[in-house]
Amino acid sequence: MKLEFLAFVSLVLMPPVVLATEPPEPLLPVPTERQLRWHEMEYYGFVHYTTNTFTGLEWGYGDESPEIFNPSDADANQWASVAKRCGMKGLILTAKHHDGFCLWPSQFTEHSVKASPYQQGQGDVVNELAEACRQQGIRMGLYLSPWDRNHAEYGSTEYITYYRNQLRELMTNYGPLFEVWFDGANGGDGFYGGAREKRKIDSDTYYDWDNTWAIVRELQPMAVMFSDAGPDIRWVGNESGTGSETNWAMLRRAEFSPGRADRSALQTGQIDGTHWLPAEVDVSIRPGWFYHAEEDDQVKSLERLIDIYYSSIGNGANLLLNIPPDRRGRFHEKDVERLMQFGRVIEQTFKADLALGASVTATNVRGQDDAFGAAKLTDGDRNSYWAADDQVTTAELVLHFEKPTEFDRIRIQEYIPLGQRVQQFAVDAELDHVWQEIASGTTIGPRRVLRVAPITAEAVRIRIKQSRACPTLSTMELYKAPQDIERVANQNSYFLIGNSLTWDTRPTLLDGDVQFHVDCGKSLPYIRDHFESPCVKESTLWPEALAKKQYDAIVVQPHYGSTLDEDEKVIGEWVKMQPNAMVVLHSGWAKQGTRELEFNNTEADGLMKHSTAYLNALTDRLKKRYPKQTFRQTYATELLAKVAADIKSGDAPFASISELYRDEIHMTHGAGRYLMHNAMRTALGQPKSNQGFESLQREQKAYLDETLVWHQNRYPSD
């Protein structure tokens, strides 16, 4: 009896068990894992390339000889590196277009690269791109046209066997794919092995799509499949780059098949769709899908590409932008220039989330549980989310700023693993304690990116006005687009890694988009291993910076405390992270007391010294190890040696080299930094600048400018 009483007392005194709030029930249909991964890619490229490149056609008839496929300077590495640098997450190659010519040596036909002069019949463009994408860290997808105007048996069951054999080849031999593209163009006139006739097929039944798609599911389970009917992603219904502001990621899939679809439904999706089938916007950077020299002056403008971005990605679709290789087998220079401009503008626009960390309040939080709290909107994690209670289909969330914040771009996302819910929303800004509506829309889904007039607000509010079920939101982000689009589009980006000798070059005064990781008095191996707390607080930590973005140039500065082997290894690790960047070795300079001794040192196999021998040896090693990379030096040690020699001969307006030093090792804020800043500019290909050095003595400046002309001659290629 006593034991029973104690047990009763224990139960009474125990704190109540708090049950975790259950997440909302999924609102079907919902995306699969492969679809979620695809949504996150957002932007990638299409590569249309075949015999059409050499005939000037858009649709080859099928009678083209493989002999005409003979690019003079093919370089899939260039395609992949350009894609990486401009912000694309992958490339999709037309392995076989309607003309039937195969860019890989298929064992099932002679109508392929193996019958062409390209690489004496030993080429494999699909494999070349697969390797290039792996090297650049981007994904690859493949397009295999169902229609084949070359094949004699097109229209018969034998062709389906042939087509599936080729599909299996591609799915097996080239590594992981992120997307497989099935075109809706099916049947018509063609060569067909010499028959030269028109053949019609039933696009609903001929390809037996379920069994054809099953090959992809078996061999590439994480690849999404594209067609009018999916089964994973859908065509947007046009090739103009236009998405729909109302964009449901669902379709009644049974009503569609490749080549047969209601285009208006493809554009908007269907609120009562049975399957998750999000839209992909495919558009070419030129009027045609294949390269035509006469279109070199018709590359889409920067402004048009920006509009396409907001119409596609901004409305919740993914953007597939076509860049056709020319007859050399390379992306044309005009296309590359425009892609780089576009990439820079988008990067700079969405560089800094101005809402990150802002406090948020909501009219409803699911179960009053912080696990679904309003703070999830600004926590920087797009996989966390705010949710409302069941039966709540309208809500308001307010972002509160510590100080008025200016912005002109808004990004909102639902938590789509639980389905698409929001049907209508509006965004308001608070100005002088008065709310003003600045944007509104229908669907949100995977994302909405809204352009609004620049506004400075004390707070921002999103109103969910209508929802199919209790709403969820994973993020609300605010950005400020650059005002001078042309300047941003044409500026290069640089990342500098070093210590205070790098800081003495005044990196903040360099042209372009400049970031740096500066840690005082430290060697490169130390900075690699201890990157958490650089001495210059404005630094961007190198692991994040080099992993997130491809720079036009990186600058590295060896310093005392390392060896030649160590510096080669560390710099090599950064070079691998930035395979397309020019690499500048900033030589720095020695302490006053040892400058001349170090400069004249000819040994380069021991501890680091600020000497020409050491820097040349390091540069030579890196050039041999990475022959495709461009390496330069700032030649700072040589500059100081020349100034010292001129002082001795009476040809410099200084009494001693110490006049350029402000302490044992650092440069003065005047002449010393002016010299080193412009040495860095020269190495980066930038013109000399007086900005920040207006008070420099005229005689000293004139001498230093002459010295910099001497320095410029170290770069004969510029």
Side-chain angles (χ1 to χ4, degrees), residues 155-172:
S156 69
T157 57
E158 287 76 13
Y159 174 76
I160 299 303
T161 300
Y162 168 79
Y163 184 74
R164 289 177 178 170
N165 284 336
Q166 290 198 320
L167 184 61
R168 190 171 290 276
E169 270 187 322
L170 293 173
M171 298 302 103
T172 302

Side-chain angles (χ1 to χ4, degrees), residues 133-147:
C133 287
R134 277 192 284 273
Q135 290 179 16
Q136 293 294 331
I138 63 175
R139 293 175 178 150
M140 185 176 80
L142 292 174
Y143 167 118
L144 185 66
S145 172
W147 185 21

Side-chain angles (χ1 to χ4, degrees), residues 106-238:
S106 173
Q107 71 179 83
F108 301 102
T109 183
E110 295 302 309
H111 195 57
S112 76
V113 286
K114 65 185 177 185
S116 77
Y118 176 59
Q119 295 187 6
Q120 292 78 49
Q122 301 302 307
D124 185 340
V125 180
V126 177
N127 187 61
E128 291 163 22
L129 182 58
E131 289 295 326
C133 287
R134 277 192 284 273
Q135 290 179 16
Q136 293 294 331
I138 63 175
R139 293 175 178 150
M140 185 176 80
L142 292 174
Y143 167 118
L144 185 66
S145 172
W147 185 21
D148 190 324
R149 303 174 89 181
N150 172 265
H151 202 279
E153 294 177 318
Y154 181 80
S156 69
T157 57
E158 287 76 13
Y159 174 76
I160 299 303
T161 300
Y162 168 79
Y163 184 74
R164 289 177 178 170
N165 284 336
Q166 290 198 320
L167 184 61
R168 190 171 290 276
E169 270 187 322
L170 293 173
M171 298 302 103
T172 302
N173 296 331
Y174 298 101
L177 302 174
F178 81 92
E179 183 170 333
V180 180
W181 227 83
F182 297 103
D183 203 316
N186 292 300
D189 62 334
F191 177 67
Y192 302 128
R196 296 185 182 276
E197 61 187 13
K198 188 172 185 177
R199 295 181 180 177
K200 293 184 178 180
I201 54 96
D202 185 334
S203 62
D204 286 348
T205 61
Y206 176 58
Y207 298 101
D208 183 16
W209 281 115
D210 286 342
N211 287 311
T212 300
W213 291 336
I215 297 171
V216 180
R217 283 284 185 266
E218 173 196 351
L219 300 174
Q220 294 284 344
M222 286 301 291
V224 295
M225 287 181 271
F226 167 97
S227 78
D228 298 332
D232 296 306
I233 59 176
R234 74 178 193 262
W235 185 40
V236 76
N238 66 77

Side-chain angles (χ1 to χ4, degrees), residues 588-621:
W589 47 88
K591 298 176 182 178
Q592 288 192 57
T594 60
R595 184 201 59 78
E596 189 170 4
L597 181 65
E598 287 189 50
F599 179 75
N600 292 324
N601 189 287
T602 59
E603 297 180 2
D605 56 355
L607 290 174
M608 189 275 164
K609 297 180 181 65
H610 289 288
S611 69
T612 300
Y614 186 92
L615 267 294
N616 285 347
L618 180 57
T619 303
D620 289 343
R621 283 192 181 193

Side-chain angles (χ1 to χ4, degrees), residues 647-693:
I647 290 172
K648 286 184 178 180
S649 64
D651 295 324
F654 303 101
S656 167
I657 191 68
S658 63
E659 290 186 40
L660 275 72
Y661 285 85
R662 61 184 169 88
D663 56 28
E664 179 62 17
I665 194 166
H666 298 101
M667 293 288 100
T668 62
H669 293 284
R673 283 191 170 185
Y674 178 79
L675 187 67
M676 296 310 170
H677 174 68
N678 281 294
M680 183 66 75
R681 294 181 69 91
T682 301
L684 293 173
Q686 299 182 9
K688 181 175 66 66
S689 173
N690 301 322
Q691 182 185 359
F693 301 96

Side-chain angles (χ1 to χ4, degrees), residues 270-292:
Q270 295 169 320
I271 191 172
D272 59 349
T274 57
H275 292 75
W276 189 270
L277 275 180
E280 179 180 81
V281 173
D282 60 316
V283 61
S284 184
I285 199 168
R286 292 164 169 255
W289 289 95
F290 289 91
Y291 177 78
H292 310 288

